[in-house]
Amino acid sequence: QVHLVESGGGLVQAGGSLRLSCAASGRTFSNYAMGWFRQAPGREREFVSAISRSGGVTYYADSVKGRFTISRDNAKNTVYLQMNSLETEDTAVYYCAASRLSGSRLNSEYEYWGQGTQVTVSS
């Protein structure tokens, strides 16, 4: 089992920035590709970003490309999501997840999920 805990969410004004963190414990962190998803009330869970095991390859949804940056520090068993130029449309609960498949955009291909952290962007 892999246990994932997100942190760093909160309330921010449009145009501002937040950095989310996801700390992992359990099985070897570097064995997994990691992803970020988000879900707003009444909407389906949406892919945001993913990163390969070593951190050498990254993927982004079109809606966040150029504004968000995913990274990981395998020595700290942590993955990050730097969120800049935030918009009200970014308001959602953000989840990190672990997968054996690199770059997957499908939630069914992620084995482990955190409990989520709320991001609220005000106008």
Side-chain angles (χ1 to χ4, degrees):
Q1 291 286 317
V2 175
H3 183 61
L4 305 173
V5 179
E6 302 96 335
S7 62
L11 176 65
V12 65
Q13 192 175 44
S17 298
L18 285 173
R19 189 179 77 159
L20 306 183
S21 298
C22 175
S25 61
R27 298 185 182 274
T28 303
F29 178 67
S30 61
N31 287 346
Y32 295 88
M34 299 294 297
W36 286 96
F37 292 76
R38 66 188 182 186
Q39 187 169 23
R43 297 188 61 186
E44 297 294 319
R45 189 176 298 169
E46 175 189 22
F47 171 80
V48 176
S49 186
I51 189 166
S52 62
R53 294 179 179 183
S54 67
V57 184
T58 58
Y59 308 84
Y60 298 95
D62 290 342
S63 59
V64 306
K65 190 174 184 179
R67 299 189 297 119
F68 292 7
T69 303
I70 190 171
S71 61
R72 67 190 296 164
D73 186 340
N74 287 349
K76 296 182 178 180
N77 287 0
T78 302
V79 63
Y80 305 94
L81 186 68
Q82 179 66 47
M83 309 164 66
N84 297 328
S85 301
L86 283 162
E87 304 168 354
T88 56
E89 295 87 347
D90 297 316
T91 296
V93 176
Y94 283 71
Y95 301 89
C96 68
S99 176
R100 296 285 187 175
L101 303 175
S102 181
S104 178
R105 295 171 178 259
L106 304 176
N107 59 49
S108 63
E109 294 181 339
Y110 286 81
E111 299 178 59
Y112 304 105
W113 295 81
Q115 293 301 304
T117 185
Q118 177 71 49
V119 173
T120 302
V121 184
S122 63
S123 61

